Amino acid sequence: MSIPLRAAGALLVTAFLCGCGASTAREDGASAAGRRFAAALASGDYRTGCELLAPETRDEVEEDAKGPCGPALRDLDLPSAGPVRGVDAYGRDALLRMTSDTLFLSQFDSGWLVTAAGCVPQAPDEPYRCSLKGG
């Protein structure tokens, strides 16, 4: 009976260690994508900014503006994000806190993409209010 318990213990330790590594990789991936998005906006490269948006978010931006994503993204006048202060990844979703902005991202087959930006926290039990978000 001790062999199966040892095997179960080893599996739990392995699962725990793999989970931690995967979480760090997810956080790093989300953080890098968020920094690329912020840098694109800061440099006026709205085409790249649009490429870093999740499909539903990009569709929402274009639909709200009744025009192409690039000019619509520019007109949103999102805050200059600044350096990363922290990131939390939960499965395929992440929250990236930057000095002047908060981004939400999701992991797609093509990588991490921004689902919401220009987000401001509300009361503790209330959701963020975001200038840019998908439907």
Side-chain angles (χ1 to χ4, degrees), residues 54-95:
E56 281 187 20
T57 305
R58 184 177 178 151
D59 290 347
E60 187 78 20
V61 168
E62 291 176 339
E63 191 174 303
D64 287 350
K66 297 183 183 1
C69 180
L73 190 57
R74 180 194 63 228
D75 292 345
L76 283 172
D77 198 27
L78 294 169
S80 178
V84 172
R85 291 185 344 192
V87 60
D88 296 306
Y90 307 95
R92 297 178 69 84
D93 294 311
L95 169 70

Side-chain angles (χ1 to χ4, degrees), residues 75-133:
D75 292 345
L76 283 172
D77 198 27
L78 294 169
S80 178
V84 172
R85 291 185 344 192
V87 60
D88 296 306
Y90 307 95
R92 297 178 69 84
D93 294 311
L95 169 70
L96 179 63
R97 289 176 305 284
M98 302 175 92
T99 304
S100 301
D101 197 5
T102 299
L103 307 177
F104 288 86
L105 300 100
S106 289
Q107 189 175 30
F108 292 81
D109 291 340
S110 61
W112 286 93
L113 299 173
V114 175
T115 57
C119 300
V120 179
Q122 301 301 299
D125 293 335
E126 305 251 342
Y128 279 75
R129 186 182 40 144
C130 300
S131 302
L132 166 68
K133 61 184 182 226

Side-chain angles (χ1 to χ4, degrees), residues 3-42:
I3 293 174
L5 287 177
R6 282 189 202 152
L11 285 174
L12 285 173
V13 169
T14 301
F16 177 78
L17 292 175
C18 289
C20 288
S23 178
T24 300
R26 286 191 310 269
E27 288 174 354
D28 290 347
S31 181
R35 287 192 316 270
R36 283 193 308 274
F37 178 77
L41 297 188

